[in-house]
Amino acid sequence: TRDLLKELTLGASEATTDEVAAFFVADLGAIVRKHFCFLKCLPRVRPFYAVKCNSSPGVLKVLAQLGLGFSCANKAEMELVQHIGVPASKIIYANPCKQIAQIKYAAKHGIQLLSFDNEMELAKVVKSHPSAKMVLCIATDDSHSLSRLSLKFGVSLKSCRHLLENAKKSHVEVVGVSFHIGSGCPDPQAYAQSIADVRLVFEMGTELGHKMHVLDLGGGFPGTEGAKVRFEEIASVINSALDLYFPEGCGVDILAELGRYYVTSAFTVAVSIIAKKEVLLDQPGKEEENGSTTKTVVYHLDEGVYGIFNSVLFDNICPTPILQKKPSTEQPLYSSSLWGPAVDGCDCVAEGLWLPQLHVGDWLVFDNMGAYTVGMGSPFGGTQACHITYAMSRVAWEALRRQLMAAEQEDDA
Ligand code: PLP
């Protein structure tokens, strides 16, 4: 990926057009590897990919070929995956608060599995999609997660019975329960607690005559090696909780809706320096202990927090650039900050960095940029969605090919 980036940034610098634009390089092989790791660590769970996380065509096609299901939040996402041939049976419309027109779209296109967390949604489904199979979304304790979902979605345990009764009365079929522990959750036990809660709701539903057989573990699985809690650790907690509350052979279809897990580490982005200012510090000498200067250097990039660096605002991420040329030990480092293109004081990508002297036209590279970035080229800054170059190693390509052949043989059989 790095070699390809080097080549592409060189090409972009030498291009005759005046405009520069950030661009991604995507290692699709990393996605294939993630998939096999998932299957090994959570063998009882069927992965669905959360399309909202990164809906670039290369990602969707590889995941579809690997046989994943897809979790869609709206009509546009359902259309996208159906367009590449994903059957309706492999789609969950996982948005507890949906537009009526989009519920009708799901009904028309055979998408049966829908989530809900309130009575109004049941009433909409009765009218617009009476044959839907509903998954009740329950709230979790996501108070320690970086990005919380239960602030907006999910019903409390004490309101579940009422909703399940209401569904029964309205002749709406409830088939299961979902949750989302939030993203960046520091405690894997949150999954275990939610699985225990789902067990209670399954009992309630069964008592009321619903045929409960879908357990949806949601997302929130980390996408980088450097995450506070490793994926393998989470998987081990989940497996133990499943063995306890939903033992093998219990007839429950267990699925998860993973977003960042699949794509974060697969994408690297190159961003260009479009402007530079040197600002003298108010208190000369303050910086001397760390570096060799009393100035701070302010770099303006062609992407910012309203575009691909939105994780700075939403996930408290502090992006650190990788320099294309490693600075020598003699090179002085300067206190530096990185800003996006918006004419707005909030568009700060990173501060407090110590960087060598960089220049307008230089490229900065950032790793782990696959989640909630693509398609978000800074509209505020006037730029467009960034271009993506896809790559895949021969080994990953072979693994994908074998998977395809196995799937074809299964279809033939
Ligand atoms: N499922 C639902 C319903 C979501 O809302 C989200 C993200 O917001 C996801 C799955 C994916 O979450 P993550 O990217 O943290 O895995």
Side-chain angles (χ1 to χ4, degrees):
T1 308
R2 289 278 163 73
D3 287 346
L4 188 55
L5 261 163
K6 219 178 235 172
E7 226 172 85
L8 290 169
T9 47
L10 203 65
S13 302
E14 286 167 356
T16 49
T17 56
D18 292 329
E19 292 235 2
V20 286
F23 63 89
F24 289 98
V25 170
D27 175 9
L28 295 177
I31 295 177
V32 176
R33 286 193 293 279
K34 281 287 183 74
H35 180 60
F36 289 120
C37 173
F38 181 90
L39 296 182
K40 190 167 139 231
C41 294
L42 285 170
R44 294 185 56 204
V45 183
R46 277 202 302 144
F48 278 56
Y49 174 65
V51 177
K52 63 167 79 77
C53 184
N54 177 331
S55 58
S56 60
V59 167
L60 296 184
K61 281 181 192 159
V62 164
L63 291 173
Q65 285 175 350
L66 286 168
L68 267 82
F70 289 84
S71 158
C72 300
N74 53 41
K75 177 182 161 192
E77 292 181 5
M78 290 185 276
E79 272 177 340
L80 255 186
V81 295
Q82 290 209 301
H83 184 68
I84 59 165
V86 174
S89 60
K90 282 192 165 178
I91 297 174
I92 174 166
Y93 185 3
N95 181 346
C97 300
K98 301 169 277 297
Q99 271 197 45
I100 291 172
Q102 302 198 3
I103 297 175
K104 286 183 178 161
Y105 174 89
K108 186 169 170 207
H109 291 84
I111 294 158
Q112 292 290 88
L113 215 50
L114 274 61
S115 69
F116 79 110
D117 67 0
N118 63 83
E119 274 175 69
M120 277 306 292
E121 209 63 16
L122 284 175
K124 288 195 271 182
V125 161
V126 169
K127 277 201 176 147
S128 307
H129 194 346
S131 69
K133 298 187 186 322
M134 304 302 288
V135 175
L136 178 57
C137 175
I138 61 168
T140 61
D141 175 9
D142 61 359
S143 51
H144 299 292
S145 299
L146 276 180
S147 173
R148 302 179 63 183
L149 252 93
S150 293
L151 287 176
K152 185 172 178 186
F153 296 121
V155 63
S156 66
L157 273 188
K158 59 178 189 293
S159 303
C160 284
R161 179 174 286 275
H162 172 71
L163 272 183
L164 289 165
E165 280 170 353
N166 193 307
K168 197 72 204 163
K169 267 192 225 135
S170 317
H171 305 289
V172 175
E173 202 180 340
V174 180
V175 296
V177 181
S178 70
F179 63 82
H180 196 301
I181 61 142
S183 300
C185 176
D187 181 9
Q189 288 304 327
Y191 283 98
Q193 180 56 55
S194 295
I195 292 169
D197 291 347
V198 173
R199 175 77 238 175
L200 292 177
V201 183
F202 261 57
E203 279 162 18
M204 264 181 233
T206 309
E207 217 180 279
L208 293 166
H210 292 290
K211 293 197 176 73
M212 309 291 279
H213 61 88
V214 176
L215 160 54
D216 178 349
L217 307 174
F221 298 83
T224 60
E225 281 298 312
K228 264 197 194 145
V229 189
R230 299 194 64 226
F231 172 71
E232 287 80 356
E233 207 182 317
I234 295 175
S236 152
V237 170
I238 289 178
N239 287 331
S240 303
L242 290 178
D243 287 346
L244 189 61
Y245 297 107
F246 294 93
E248 198 116 25
C250 65
V252 172
D253 184 13
I254 306 163
L255 46 109
E257 298 169 39
L258 307 101
R260 66 192 69 229
Y261 168 79
Y262 271 102
V263 290
T264 306
S265 59
F267 279 62
T268 304
V269 73
V271 179
S272 173
I273 296 175
I274 57 172
K276 172 182 171 183
K277 286 193 295 194
E278 292 189 354
V279 179
L280 290 178
L281 292 172
D282 283 346
Q283 299 157 288
K286 191 179 157 210
E287 305 296 319
E288 273 162 8
E289 20 182 290
N290 291 320
S292 55
T293 181
T294 56
K295 70 185 173 193
T296 188
V297 191
V298 176
Y299 294 103
H300 287 240
L301 311 177
D302 68 312
E303 266 297 331
V305 301
Y306 301 109
I308 65 169
F309 290 111
N310 64 80
S311 58
V312 173
L313 296 182
F314 299 125
D315 296 336
N316 282 329
I317 300 286
C318 185
T320 310
I322 299 157
L323 302 175
Q324 295 218 284
K325 262 192 246 139
K326 228 175 160 203
S328 70
T329 43
E330 295 92 62
Q331 236 174 323
L333 299 180
Y334 300 92
S335 159
S336 310
S337 58
L338 307 177
W339 297 75
V343 187
D344 166 327
C346 297
D347 196 7
C348 180
V349 174
E351 280 183 299
L353 302 172
W354 286 89
L355 299 174
Q357 194 65 255
L358 301 169
H359 307 282
V360 170
D362 282 353
W363 292 91
L364 296 179
V365 169
F366 297 83
D367 270 347
N368 294 321
M369 288 295 291
Y372 306 100
T373 51
V374 169
M376 294 194 172
S378 285
F380 206 173
T383 60
Q384 290 169 0
C386 306
H387 184 266
I388 305 167
T389 298
Y390 296 104
M392 190 185 283
S393 71
R394 202 174 289 277
V395 177
W397 180 258
E398 275 305 315
L400 186 59
R401 208 173 58 86
R402 277 197 299 276
Q403 173 85 16
L404 282 179
M405 279 164 51
E408 268 166 29
Q409 275 164 8
E410 217 171 88
D411 282 351
D412 290 348

PDB file of all heavy atoms in Angstrom, residues 338-361:
ATOM      1  N   LEU A 338      -2.445  20.915  12.110  1.00  0.00           N
ATOM      2  CA  LEU A 338      -3.021  20.616  10.796  1.00  0.00           C
ATOM      3  C   LEU A 338      -4.476  21.066  10.795  1.00  0.00           C
ATOM      4  O   LEU A 338      -5.229  20.736  11.719  1.00  0.00           O
ATOM      5  CB  LEU A 338      -2.964  19.111  10.515  1.00  0.00           C
ATOM      6  CG  LEU A 338      -1.591  18.433  10.657  1.00  0.00           C
ATOM      7  CD1 LEU A 338      -1.733  16.928  10.406  1.00  0.00           C
ATOM      8  CD2 LEU A 338      -0.592  19.033   9.670  1.00  0.00           C
ATOM      9  N   TRP A 339      -4.873  21.779   9.767  1.00  0.00           N
ATOM     10  CA  TRP A 339      -6.233  22.307   9.671  1.00  0.00           C
ATOM     11  C   TRP A 339      -6.858  21.918   8.337  1.00  0.00           C
ATOM     12  O   TRP A 339      -6.170  21.777   7.343  1.00  0.00           O
ATOM     13  CB  TRP A 339      -6.220  23.842   9.807  1.00  0.00           C
ATOM     14  CG  TRP A 339      -5.722  24.277  11.166  1.00  0.00           C
ATOM     15  CD1 TRP A 339      -4.431  24.263  11.598  1.00  0.00           C
ATOM     16  CD2 TRP A 339      -6.516  24.725  12.256  1.00  0.00           C
ATOM     17  NE1 TRP A 339      -4.361  24.691  12.907  1.00  0.00           N
ATOM     18  CE2 TRP A 339      -5.643  24.988  13.332  1.00  0.00           C
ATOM     19  CE3 TRP A 339      -7.889  24.947  12.433  1.00  0.00           C
ATOM     20  CZ2 TRP A 339      -6.085  25.447  14.570  1.00  0.00           C
ATOM     21  CZ3 TRP A 339      -8.330  25.422  13.668  1.00  0.00           C
ATOM     22  CH2 TRP A 339      -7.435  25.656  14.725  1.00  0.00           C
ATOM     23  N   GLY A 340      -8.185  21.813   8.349  1.00  0.00           N
ATOM     24  CA  GLY A 340      -8.897  21.482   7.121  1.00  0.00           C
ATOM     25  C   GLY A 340      -9.171  22.722   6.285  1.00  0.00           C
ATOM     26  O   GLY A 340      -8.801  23.837   6.673  1.00  0.00           O
ATOM     27  N   PRO A 341      -9.865  22.559   5.149  1.00  0.00           N
ATOM     28  CA  PRO A 341     -10.043  23.658   4.206  1.00  0.00           C
ATOM     29  C   PRO A 341     -11.199  24.612   4.540  1.00  0.00           C
ATOM     30  O   PRO A 341     -11.316  25.657   3.902  1.00  0.00           O
ATOM     31  CB  PRO A 341     -10.342  22.932   2.886  1.00  0.00           C
ATOM     32  CG  PRO A 341     -11.004  21.668   3.310  1.00  0.00           C
ATOM     33  CD  PRO A 341     -10.398  21.284   4.618  1.00  0.00           C
ATOM     34  N   ALA A 342     -12.046  24.254   5.519  1.00  0.00           N
ATOM     35  CA  ALA A 342     -13.210  25.108   5.799  1.00  0.00           C
ATOM     36  C   ALA A 342     -12.749  26.432   6.416  1.00  0.00           C
ATOM     37  O   ALA A 342     -11.791  26.467   7.177  1.00  0.00           O
ATOM     38  CB  ALA A 342     -14.159  24.402   6.751  1.00  0.00           C
ATOM     39  N   VAL A 343     -13.459  27.492   6.067  1.00  0.00           N
ATOM     40  CA  VAL A 343     -13.120  28.808   6.634  1.00  0.00           C
ATOM     41  C   VAL A 343     -13.863  28.889   7.970  1.00  0.00           C
ATOM     42  O   VAL A 343     -14.910  29.507   8.102  1.00  0.00           O
ATOM     43  CB  VAL A 343     -13.536  29.933   5.662  1.00  0.00           C
ATOM     44  CG1 VAL A 343     -13.041  31.275   6.166  1.00  0.00           C
ATOM     45  CG2 VAL A 343     -12.951  29.658   4.290  1.00  0.00           C
ATOM     46  N   ASP A 344     -13.306  28.209   8.957  1.00  0.00           N
ATOM     47  CA  ASP A 344     -14.037  27.920  10.171  1.00  0.00           C
ATOM     48  C   ASP A 344     -13.030  27.492  11.233  1.00  0.00           C
ATOM     49  O   ASP A 344     -12.179  26.638  10.980  1.00  0.00           O
ATOM     50  CB  ASP A 344     -15.008  26.774   9.812  1.00  0.00           C
ATOM     51  CG  ASP A 344     -15.635  26.094  10.996  1.00  0.00           C
ATOM     52  OD1 ASP A 344     -14.988  25.988  12.027  1.00  0.00           O
ATOM     53  OD2 ASP A 344     -16.778  25.662  10.860  1.00  0.00           O
ATOM     54  N   GLY A 345     -13.121  28.073  12.411  1.00  0.00           N
ATOM     55  CA  GLY A 345     -12.146  27.800  13.467  1.00  0.00           C
ATOM     56  C   GLY A 345     -12.253  26.424  14.090  1.00  0.00           C
ATOM     57  O   GLY A 345     -11.421  26.053  14.914  1.00  0.00           O
ATOM     58  N   CYS A 346     -13.294  25.661  13.738  1.00  0.00           N
ATOM     59  CA  CYS A 346     -13.437  24.316  14.334  1.00  0.00           C
ATOM     60  C   CYS A 346     -12.743  23.247  13.504  1.00  0.00           C
ATOM     61  O   CYS A 346     -12.667  22.092  13.910  1.00  0.00           O
ATOM     62  CB  CYS A 346     -14.920  23.941  14.438  1.00  0.00           C
ATOM     63  SG  CYS A 346     -15.834  25.015  15.502  1.00  0.00           S
ATOM     64  N   ASP A 347     -12.300  23.622  12.305  1.00  0.00           N
ATOM     65  CA  ASP A 347     -11.802  22.608  11.374  1.00  0.00           C
ATOM     66  C   ASP A 347     -10.345  22.241  11.671  1.00  0.00           C
ATOM     67  O   ASP A 347      -9.479  22.305  10.794  1.00  0.00           O
ATOM     68  CB  ASP A 347     -11.970  23.127   9.938  1.00  0.00           C
ATOM     69  CG  ASP A 347     -11.848  22.007   8.914  1.00  0.00           C
ATOM     70  OD1 ASP A 347     -11.774  20.846   9.328  1.00  0.00           O
ATOM     71  OD2 ASP A 347     -11.835  22.315   7.712  1.00  0.00           O
ATOM     72  N   CYS A 348     -10.087  21.835  12.914  1.00  0.00           N
ATOM     73  CA  CYS A 348      -8.718  21.488  13.316  1.00  0.00           C
ATOM     74  C   CYS A 348      -8.552  19.969  13.311  1.00  0.00           C
ATOM     75  O   CYS A 348      -9.230  19.262  14.040  1.00  0.00           O
ATOM     76  CB  CYS A 348      -8.452  22.034  14.714  1.00  0.00           C
ATOM     77  SG  CYS A 348      -6.792  21.652  15.260  1.00  0.00           S
ATOM     78  N   VAL A 349      -7.641  19.488  12.494  1.00  0.00           N
ATOM     79  CA  VAL A 349      -7.432  18.041  12.347  1.00  0.00           C
ATOM     80  C   VAL A 349      -6.503  17.520  13.455  1.00  0.00           C
ATOM     81  O   VAL A 349      -6.754  16.491  14.067  1.00  0.00           O
ATOM     82  CB  VAL A 349      -6.856  17.721  10.948  1.00  0.00           C
ATOM     83  CG1 VAL A 349      -6.490  16.249  10.822  1.00  0.00           C
ATOM     84  CG2 VAL A 349      -7.844  18.126   9.851  1.00  0.00           C
ATOM     85  N   ALA A 350      -5.420  18.233  13.733  1.00  0.00           N
ATOM     86  CA  ALA A 350      -4.482  17.782  14.786  1.00  0.00           C
ATOM     87  C   ALA A 350      -3.639  18.965  15.247  1.00  0.00           C
ATOM     88  O   ALA A 350      -3.262  19.825  14.451  1.00  0.00           O
ATOM     89  CB  ALA A 350      -3.590  16.675  14.251  1.00  0.00           C
ATOM     90  N   GLU A 351      -3.350  18.978  16.543  1.00  0.00           N
ATOM     91  CA  GLU A 351      -2.494  20.030  17.108  1.00  0.00           C
ATOM     92  C   GLU A 351      -1.394  19.370  17.929  1.00  0.00           C
ATOM     93  O   GLU A 351      -1.494  18.187  18.277  1.00  0.00           O
ATOM     94  CB  GLU A 351      -3.326  20.921  18.041  1.00  0.00           C
ATOM     95  CG  GLU A 351      -4.146  21.951  17.320  1.00  0.00           C
ATOM     96  CD  GLU A 351      -4.883  22.859  18.293  1.00  0.00           C
ATOM     97  OE1 GLU A 351      -5.700  22.339  19.071  1.00  0.00           O
ATOM     98  OE2 GLU A 351      -4.630  24.063  18.257  1.00  0.00           O
ATOM     99  N   GLY A 352      -0.390  20.146  18.251  1.00  0.00           N
ATOM    100  CA  GLY A 352       0.656  19.643  19.138  1.00  0.00           C
ATOM    101  C   GLY A 352       1.539  18.588  18.509  1.00  0.00           C
ATOM    102  O   GLY A 352       2.113  17.758  19.210  1.00  0.00           O
ATOM    103  N   LEU A 353       1.644  18.603  17.182  1.00  0.00           N
ATOM    104  CA  LEU A 353       2.531  17.640  16.521  1.00  0.00           C
ATOM    105  C   LEU A 353       3.928  18.246  16.416  1.00  0.00           C
ATOM    106  O   LEU A 353       4.070  19.476  16.351  1.00  0.00           O
ATOM    107  CB  LEU A 353       2.021  17.334  15.102  1.00  0.00           C
ATOM    108  CG  LEU A 353       0.606  16.776  14.963  1.00  0.00           C
ATOM    109  CD1 LEU A 353       0.207  16.717  13.496  1.00  0.00           C
ATOM    110  CD2 LEU A 353       0.525  15.394  15.585  1.00  0.00           C
ATOM    111  N   TRP A 354       4.941  17.400  16.382  1.00  0.00           N
ATOM    112  CA  TRP A 354       6.307  17.875  16.135  1.00  0.00           C
ATOM    113  C   TRP A 354       6.748  17.329  14.786  1.00  0.00           C
ATOM    114  O   TRP A 354       6.955  16.132  14.626  1.00  0.00           O
ATOM    115  CB  TRP A 354       7.234  17.434  17.274  1.00  0.00           C
ATOM    116  CG  TRP A 354       6.949  18.256  18.497  1.00  0.00           C
ATOM    117  CD1 TRP A 354       6.039  17.984  19.467  1.00  0.00           C
ATOM    118  CD2 TRP A 354       7.534  19.515  18.813  1.00  0.00           C
ATOM    119  NE1 TRP A 354       6.000  18.993  20.386  1.00  0.00           N
ATOM    120  CE2 TRP A 354       6.919  19.954  20.018  1.00  0.00           C
ATOM    121  CE3 TRP A 354       8.503  20.326  18.233  1.00  0.00           C
ATOM    122  CZ2 TRP A 354       7.238  21.163  20.633  1.00  0.00           C
ATOM    123  CZ3 TRP A 354       8.835  21.528  18.849  1.00  0.00           C
ATOM    124  CH2 TRP A 354       8.209  21.937  20.033  1.00  0.00           C
ATOM    125  N   LEU A 355       6.814  18.223  13.818  1.00  0.00           N
ATOM    126  CA  LEU A 355       7.091  17.797  12.441  1.00  0.00           C
ATOM    127  C   LEU A 355       8.291  18.552  11.877  1.00  0.00           C
ATOM    128  O   LEU A 355       8.554  19.698  12.280  1.00  0.00           O
ATOM    129  CB  LEU A 355       5.875  18.090  11.551  1.00  0.00           C
ATOM    130  CG  LEU A 355       4.560  17.397  11.898  1.00  0.00           C
ATOM    131  CD1 LEU A 355       3.434  17.919  11.016  1.00  0.00           C
ATOM    132  CD2 LEU A 355       4.686  15.882  11.742  1.00  0.00           C
ATOM    133  N   PRO A 356       8.997  17.952  10.914  1.00  0.00           N
ATOM    134  CA  PRO A 356      10.043  18.718  10.219  1.00  0.00           C
ATOM    135  C   PRO A 356       9.389  19.772   9.328  1.00  0.00           C
ATOM    136  O   PRO A 356       8.170  19.768   9.171  1.00  0.00           O
ATOM    137  CB  PRO A 356      10.744  17.642   9.383  1.00  0.00           C
ATOM    138  CG  PRO A 356       9.711  16.602   9.172  1.00  0.00           C
ATOM    139  CD  PRO A 356       8.836  16.608  10.380  1.00  0.00           C
ATOM    140  N   GLN A 357      10.204  20.620   8.767  1.00  0.00           N
ATOM    141  CA  GLN A 357       9.670  21.660   7.871  1.00  0.00           C
ATOM    142  C   GLN A 357       9.037  20.985   6.643  1.00  0.00           C
ATOM    143  O   GLN A 357       9.690  20.242   5.922  1.00  0.00           O
ATOM    144  CB  GLN A 357      10.847  22.544   7.439  1.00  0.00           C
ATOM    145  CG  GLN A 357      10.477  23.844   6.804  1.00  0.00           C
ATOM    146  CD  GLN A 357       9.760  24.795   7.753  1.00  0.00           C
ATOM    147  OE1 GLN A 357       8.550  24.940   7.624  1.00  0.00           O
ATOM    148  NE2 GLN A 357      10.477  25.447   8.656  1.00  0.00           N
ATOM    149  N   LEU A 358       7.741  21.236   6.438  1.00  0.00           N
ATOM    150  CA  LEU A 358       7.056  20.679   5.260  1.00  0.00           C
ATOM    151  C   LEU A 358       6.684  21.831   4.335  1.00  0.00           C
ATOM    152  O   LEU A 358       6.722  22.997   4.730  1.00  0.00           O
ATOM    153  CB  LEU A 358       5.803  19.900   5.700  1.00  0.00           C
ATOM    154  CG  LEU A 358       6.059  18.745   6.659  1.00  0.00           C
ATOM    155  CD1 LEU A 358       4.743  18.216   7.234  1.00  0.00           C
ATOM    156  CD2 LEU A 358       6.815  17.612   5.960  1.00  0.00           C
ATOM    157  N   HIS A 359       6.247  21.475   3.126  1.00  0.00           N
ATOM    158  CA  HIS A 359       6.015  22.522   2.125  1.00  0.00           C
ATOM    159  C   HIS A 359       4.656  22.386   1.474  1.00  0.00           C
ATOM    160  O   HIS A 359       4.090  21.279   1.430  1.00  0.00           O
ATOM    161  CB  HIS A 359       7.112  22.461   1.055  1.00  0.00           C
ATOM    162  CG  HIS A 359       8.473  22.500   1.662  1.00  0.00           C
ATOM    163  ND1 HIS A 359       9.033  23.670   2.114  1.00  0.00           N
ATOM    164  CD2 HIS A 359       9.351  21.499   1.946  1.00  0.00           C
ATOM    165  CE1 HIS A 359      10.227  23.398   2.648  1.00  0.00           C
ATOM    166  NE2 HIS A 359      10.437  22.085   2.552  1.00  0.00           N
ATOM    167  N   VAL A 360       4.159  23.505   0.938  1.00  0.00           N
ATOM    168  CA  VAL A 360       2.918  23.444   0.161  1.00  0.00           C
ATOM    169  C   VAL A 360       3.145  22.470  -1.003  1.00  0.00           C
ATOM    170  O   VAL A 360       4.188  22.518  -1.656  1.00  0.00           O
ATOM    171  CB  VAL A 360       2.547  24.848  -0.367  1.00  0.00           C
ATOM    172  CG1 VAL A 360       1.401  24.770  -1.376  1.00  0.00           C
ATOM    173  CG2 VAL A 360       2.176  25.753   0.794  1.00  0.00           C
ATOM    174  N   GLY A 361       2.180  21.560  -1.194  1.00  0.00           N
ATOM    175  CA  GLY A 361       2.337  20.556  -2.256  1.00  0.00           C
ATOM    176  C   GLY A 361       2.817  19.216  -1.710  1.00  0.00           C
ATOM    177  O   GLY A 361       2.684  18.193  -2.383  1.00  0.00           O
TER     178      GLY A 361
END
